[in-house]
Amino acid sequence: EKVEAKAEMEAKVDTFKQQILICSCCNGNTLQELVGNDRNEGGRGKQILAKLQEMVETECNADFVCPESVTGCDANIEKPERPIGTWWGMSEEEKVEAKAEMEAKVDTFKQQILICSCCNGNTLQELVGNDRNGEGGRGKQILSKLQEMVETECNADFVCPESVTGCDANIEKPERPIGTWW
């Protein structure tokens, strides 16, 4: 289900990009004409606009093949929307439920990290692998918080279960559910 949603979104983005290229390269439209002002305020919108501009500058050359008929360039090209059910489209009850579900997954993940570290002697590197150990950003912050949690919680008061399992491979991080605020 998640793979299908991702593939569908990627196809929509590819169609969007192709339409931008056709209208820019073949019809002479500017990005401003094609996407309007909604991406020019800063943050992620400005980053997207810069990437689109770079794409147009790179791709609009003698090798670009224009279709015989160019259509759909007379109004703002509609950007692909995230799947229905985003945070903003959810009722308060659905938001509470989604947040509780994610918090439960995170709690289970943290508990497994503690059990494997405190009771089985695994390192965080063994447990979460390299996907959170980049040059910075959110992954490094998460790894730092997990390390702090292990250092704080792994003491004489921590009660290990009789049987420790699930520590022999990377512990799968909780996935953000499709259609929530992430």
Side-chain angles (χ1 to χ4, degrees), residues 87 94-104 180-182:
W87 180 252
E94 289 170 324
K95 289 177 187 178
V96 169
E97 186 178 314
K99 187 174 180 181
E101 180 183 325
M102 188 61 192
E103 286 174 351
T180 64
W181 60 98
W182 293 289

Side-chain angles (χ1 to χ4, degrees), residues 107-171:
D107 288 345
T108 300
F109 172 74
K110 287 179 179 178
Q111 190 62 32
Q112 188 66 24
I113 292 286
L114 286 172
I115 289 170
C116 293
S117 293
C118 303
C119 306
N120 205 46
N122 293 89
T123 65
L124 279 176
Q125 189 67 32
E126 292 170 326
L127 297 174
V128 297
N130 291 320
D131 67 332
R132 290 188 178 86
N133 202 18
E135 292 298 315
R138 184 122 173 93
K140 197 158 192 158
Q141 291 172 350
I142 291 170
L143 194 60
S144 176
K145 286 185 178 194
L146 288 172
Q147 184 64 47
E148 183 180 321
M149 177 188 73
V150 167
E151 290 170 1
T152 303
E153 299 290 324
C154 287
N155 56 40
D157 296 330
F158 190 82
V159 179
C160 293
E162 287 184 30
S163 175
V164 177
T165 59
C167 300
D168 52 350
N170 283 350
I171 296 176

Side-chain angles (χ1 to χ4, degrees), residues 27-45:
N27 206 45
N29 294 88
T30 65
L31 279 177
Q32 191 67 30
E33 292 171 327
L34 298 173
V35 298
N37 291 319
D38 66 331
R39 291 190 177 88
N40 205 18
E41 295 300 318
R44 180 121 171 94

Side-chain angles (χ1 to χ4, degrees), residues 19 22-23 26-27 65-73:
Q19 188 65 28
I22 289 170
C23 294
C26 306
N27 206 45
V65 179
C66 293
E68 287 184 29
S69 175
V70 177
T71 59
C73 300

